[in-house]
């Protein structure tokens, strides 16, 4: 059993941002995550000679704080702007979307950014925290098999809201706030094609369709030459078809994109799917982070203060700053 001053449950972009901010200020931190690697929805799926950004597709920068950090990512070679053509598809027509927004991606995959952030951090991967219990003046972390993972003076939850609620039994006021957040699901389809899909765009917002978004993944910087696409279904369609088999979902969503764009889909070389149960918050909480200074437990995520990668990153830093405000007792 190990002891740390701060335990962070969830090693997505929010947890990594929080951990970095604390560690740089001399705080002992350990992260726990059920996945094989840090990253959360900034993740990469690998297929035969191809990769797919099957979670977060890109991110934008609106704050100076993130802008400064993204420049360091670019300098490190793990992020670049994606200059792909963006359009809207609707009822067989594709219209260019000239919004002037700079869209950033990880290079050579989205997972390069969390991998960069995790360097130098203590991350316990493939570790499922099943309960967080009061232990004298601190906390005891217990895995899903009932084994104690360690103790900490402070616990921070940066998981999706639904998962955070399950770990907040000892903090009912926080649990009540978090339980009010509804997370929306998303079916993701990943395909590589025998030849280019002649849709006149690289990123497509889709209207009046089961598909909400589609991206020519290979058009992003650092990717290979293969024709690869990622399609995200709408939350409503995903909820209605959550239990559909993967082959049916692939066929339905690729056919829907072909119909919306008016361009027939080429033959598939490879297909894969992912069900994201907690893709995004329907209505995020207004606060960047929630913190109980007496219990020394807090929560943050892209469901606090604003969605997207930027919201998650800012939420992690905000939560770290709340902890640092009580630094003498951390």
């Amino acid at each position: 059993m190990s002891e740390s001053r701060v335990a962070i449950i969830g090693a997505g972009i929010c947890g990594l941002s929080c951990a970095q901010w604390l560690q740089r200020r001399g705080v002992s931190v350990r992260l726990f995550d059920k996945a094989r690697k840090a990253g959360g929805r900034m993740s990469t799926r690998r297929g035969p000679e191809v990769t797919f950004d099957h979670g977060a597709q890109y991110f934008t920068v609106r704050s100076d704080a993130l802008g400064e950090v993204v420049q360091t990512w670019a300098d490190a070679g793990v992020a670049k702007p994606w200059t792909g053509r963006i359009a809207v598809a609707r009822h067989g027509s594709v219209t260019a979307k000239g919004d002037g927004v700079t869209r950033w991606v990880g290079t050579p995959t989205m997972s390069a950014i969390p991998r960069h952030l995790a360097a130098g951090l203590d991350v316990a991967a493939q570790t499922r925290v099943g309960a967080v219990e009061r232990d004298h003046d601190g906390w005891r972390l217990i895995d899903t098999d009932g084994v104690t993972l360690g103790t900490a003076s402070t616990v921070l939850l940066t998981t999706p809201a639904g998962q955070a609620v399950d770990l907040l039994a000892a903090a009912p006021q926080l649990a009540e706030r978090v339980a009010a957040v509804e997370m929306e699901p998303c079916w993701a389809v990943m395909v590589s094609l025998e030849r280019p899909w002649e849709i006149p765009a690289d990123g497509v917002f889709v209207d009046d369709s089961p598909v909400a978004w589609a991206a020519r993944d290979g058009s992003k910087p650092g990717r290979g030459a293969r024709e690869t696409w990622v399609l995200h279904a709408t939350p409503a369609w995903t909820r209605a078809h959550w239990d559909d088999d993967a082959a049916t979902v692939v066929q339905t969503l690729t056919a829907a994109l072909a119909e919306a764009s008016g361009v027939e889909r080429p033959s598939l070389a490879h297909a894969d799917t992912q069900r994201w149960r907690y893709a995004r918050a329907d209505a995020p909480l207004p606060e960047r982070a929630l913190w109980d200074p007496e219990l020394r437990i807090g929560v943050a995520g892209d469901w606090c203060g604003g969605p997207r990668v930027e919201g998650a990153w800012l939420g992690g830093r905000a939560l770290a700053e709340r902890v640092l405000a009580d630094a003498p007792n951390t």
Side-chain angles (χ1 to χ4, degrees):
M1 183 175 71
S2 62
E3 181 177 356
S4 64
R5 296 172 71 190
V6 175
I8 299 176
I9 303 172
I13 192 72
C14 182
L16 293 169
S17 168
C18 185
Q20 273 202 336
W21 200 246
L22 290 171
Q23 184 165 288
R24 288 174 182 174
R25 282 146 186 83
V27 179
S28 171
V29 180
R30 192 176 199 209
L31 296 106
F32 298 85
D33 200 282
K34 65 180 182 179
R36 292 188 302 110
K37 298 179 181 179
R41 281 161 285 167
M42 289 187 72
S43 56
T44 300
R45 178 72 59 84
R46 300 187 182 279
E49 301 180 0
V50 292
T51 61
F52 301 97
D53 296 333
H54 62 306
Q57 296 291 287
Y58 61 85
F59 63 96
T60 56
V61 177
R62 293 172 172 81
S63 66
D64 292 340
L66 181 59
E68 293 174 1
V69 172
V70 169
Q71 187 56 54
T72 69
W73 299 348
D75 293 342
V78 298
K80 287 185 178 179
W82 176 34
T83 57
R85 301 162 296 167
I86 307 299
V88 176
R90 177 184 173 90
H91 299 169
S93 176
V94 178
T95 305
K97 181 179 174 66
D99 53 15
V101 174
T102 299
R103 294 174 170 85
W104 289 84
V105 297
T107 50
T109 63
M110 286 298 285
S111 61
I113 292 173
R115 187 166 59 246
H116 175 71
L117 293 176
L121 295 174
D122 181 5
V123 181
Q126 294 183 292
T127 304
R128 290 178 177 266
V129 179
V132 176
E133 298 179 353
R134 291 295 286 165
D135 182 66
H136 302 295
D137 294 329
W139 296 94
R140 183 180 301 273
L141 280 67
I142 302 169
D143 72 10
T144 51
D145 294 322
V147 177
T148 297
L149 298 168
T151 59
S153 60
T154 300
V155 169
L156 307 176
L157 308 177
T158 61
T159 63
Q163 295 173 349
V165 170
D166 295 337
L167 299 174
L168 287 169
Q173 290 184 330
L174 286 183
E176 184 178 3
R177 293 292 315 281
V178 176
V181 179
E182 181 178 351
M183 300 291 290
E184 296 181 328
C186 177
W187 261 111
V189 163
M190 298 151 267
V191 295
S192 62
L193 303 168
E194 297 289 355
R195 58 179 176 81
W197 199 341
E198 301 296 344
I199 297 173
D202 302 306
V204 186
F205 295 97
V206 187
D207 290 341
D208 294 338
S209 170
V211 179
W213 162 264
R216 194 189 311 268
D217 221 39
S219 69
K220 298 174 183 176
R223 276 63 173 175
R226 299 288 296 272
E227 179 76 358
T228 56
W229 282 78
V230 173
L231 289 69
H232 283 176
T234 66
W237 190 91
T238 298
R239 280 191 292 269
H241 297 272
W242 184 255
D243 293 321
D244 286 7
D245 67 273
T248 298
V249 172
V250 170
Q251 176 60 34
T252 301
L253 294 186
T254 54
L257 180 59
E259 180 179 2
S261 65
V263 181
E264 183 179 356
R265 188 208 75 190
S267 299
L268 300 182
H270 171 77
D272 204 349
T273 59
Q274 168 75 31
R275 290 188 305 179
W276 295 104
R277 186 177 295 276
Y278 305 112
R280 66 177 186 178
D282 178 42
L285 296 177
E287 301 93 338
R288 284 282 179 207
L290 303 179
W291 169 244
D292 187 321
E294 293 185 5
L295 293 177
R296 301 200 59 74
I297 188 169
V299 295
D302 61 355
W303 45 272
C304 281
R308 308 182 184 91
V309 170
E310 183 166 34
W313 187 89
L314 290 172
R317 178 173 286 195
L319 185 55
E321 289 175 344
R322 299 293 297 272
V323 174
L324 291 168
D326 294 325
N329 301 315
T330 302

